[in-house]
Amino acid sequence: DAKTTQPNSMESNEEEPVHLPCNHSTISGTDYIHWYRQLPSQGPEYVIHGLTSNVNNRMASLAIAEDRKSSTLILHRATLRDAAVYYCILRDVNSGNTPLVFGKGTRLSVIA
Amino acid sequence: DVKVTQSSRYLVKRTGEKVFLECVQDMDHENMFWYRQDPGLGLRLIYFSYDVKMKEKGDIPEGYSVSREKKERFSLILESASTNQTSMYLCASSVSRDRVFQPQHFGDGTRLSIL
């Protein structure tokens, strides 16, 4: 799977939008972009995924650059419960169910 | 909702002991995984299994073995525990490879201390 680059940490105020960036300049045409997050004292949980088009679900939105070399996870209104480590992971559509490979992720702090 | 249950949240064992970490999932998933998580190193894959009685080595299998006798249960075994195996251990599961997309579902982890 291709490599991703994320900032080590970010900070946000509660109730404000948060944009978490991810660079993946070597992404291939068959790589999906996945986001997981890990809340304190819990295992990682799936957040969202996409290929080319922007995606929305109840947890977040995923904005994908036109050239697909970067993407942004958007939390529309950060809450204290969103404080977590966020992982951006690329997975080839043909990788089947091979295990996820986690990078260091971005530690998001939310300030009340 | 998928439930992945790890038998213990916290565990303290002694050097040289044989340690069993148990993981059970309730969604009939074919695939199960064991990771360990250490500060500064992130999550690293130890072993995984695509089916009953099948196992594959991950990135750091040394010092560990696994057992998958039933579909819902995947056990991680530390044959002779050492202090460098003190870590957070995370189990995960997912559905079969026939699906285009299948998220991995994680348990809440077992924090293991080897004294």
Side-chain angles (χ1 to χ4, degrees), chain A residues 63-80:
Chain A
I64 302 172
E66 199 169 329
D67 64 5
R68 300 210 326 124
K69 293 182 185 296
S70 65
S71 60
T72 302
L73 180 72
I74 302 166
L75 308 179
H76 294 286
R77 286 179 69 219
T79 70
L80 296 178

Side-chain angles (χ1 to χ4, degrees), chain B residues 62-80:
Chain B
E62 296 78 19
Y64 302 95
S65 63
V66 289
S67 173
R68 184 109 182 259
E69 295 297 317
K70 293 185 177 182
K71 191 175 186 180
E72 67 271 18
R73 185 180 297 270
F74 193 34
S75 302
L76 180 69
I77 304 156
L78 286 66
E79 297 292 342
S80 178

Side-chain angles (χ1 to χ4, degrees), chain B residues 6 11-12 14 32 34 48-51 63 69-70 85 109 111:
Chain B
Q6 295 185 228
L11 203 56
V12 180
R14 296 208 173 272
M32 296 188 76
W34 275 106
F48 58 105
S49 168
Y50 288 133
D51 204 347
E69 295 297 317
K70 293 185 177 182
Q85 292 179 307
R111 187 166 293 282

Side-chain angles (χ1 to χ4, degrees), chain A residues 32 34 36 38 40-46 48-49 85 87 91-93 95-104, chain B residues 9 31 33 35 37 40-43 45 48 50 90 94-97 100-109:
Chain A
Y32 276 78
H34 295 246
Y36 281 70
Q38 186 173 17
S41 301
Q42 293 187 26
E45 63 176 347
Y46 164 77
I48 200 166
H49 77 286
V85 178
Y87 298 97
R91 281 181 57 86
D92 190 291
V93 68
S95 62
N97 242 350
T98 55
L100 293 171
V101 178
F102 287 82
K104 302 290 175 63
Chain B
R9 288 302 303 268
N31 310 303
F33 312 88
Y35 295 83
Q37 185 171 29
L41 297 176
L43 279 90
L45 182 68
F48 58 105
Y50 288 133
L90 289 157
S94 66
V95 298
S96 76
R97 65 181 73 207
V100 173
F101 169 67
Q102 49 285 323
Q104 283 184 214
H105 300 268
F106 285 81
D108 285 336

Side-chain angles (χ1 to χ4, degrees), chain A residues 3 20 25 29-30 32 38 59 82 84 87 91 96-97 110:
Chain A
K3 188 176 170 55
L20 296 160
S25 58
T30 53
Y32 276 78
Q38 186 173 17
M59 291 179 72
D82 291 320
Y87 298 97
R91 281 181 57 86
N97 242 350
V110 179

Side-chain angles (χ1 to χ4, degrees), chain B residues 7-89:
Chain B
S7 53
S8 306
R9 288 302 303 268
Y10 301 93
L11 203 56
V12 180
K13 296 291 182 181
R14 296 208 173 272
T15 303
E17 278 192 70
K18 190 169 186 175
V19 181
F20 293 84
L21 302 183
E22 305 288 347
C23 176
V24 177
Q25 49 92 6
D26 66 357
M27 283 302 290
D28 203 36
H29 285 175
E30 288 79 8
N31 310 303
M32 296 188 76
F33 312 88
W34 275 106
Y35 295 83
R36 65 178 279 179
Q37 185 171 29
D38 301 287
L41 297 176
L43 279 90
R44 293 179 292 167
L45 182 68
I46 306 171
Y47 266 99
F48 58 105
S49 168
Y50 288 133
D51 204 347
V52 175
K53 296 193 184 297
M54 291 181 65
K55 61 183 178 183
E56 302 275 350
K57 291 181 180 179
D59 299 318
I60 51 164
E62 296 78 19
Y64 302 95
S65 63
V66 289
S67 173
R68 184 109 182 259
E69 295 297 317
K70 293 185 177 182
K71 191 175 186 180
E72 67 271 18
R73 185 180 297 270
F74 193 34
S75 302
L76 180 69
I77 304 156
L78 286 66
E79 297 292 342
S80 178
S82 64
T83 54
N84 63 12
Q85 292 179 307
T86 291
S87 185
M88 169 69 86
Y89 290 87

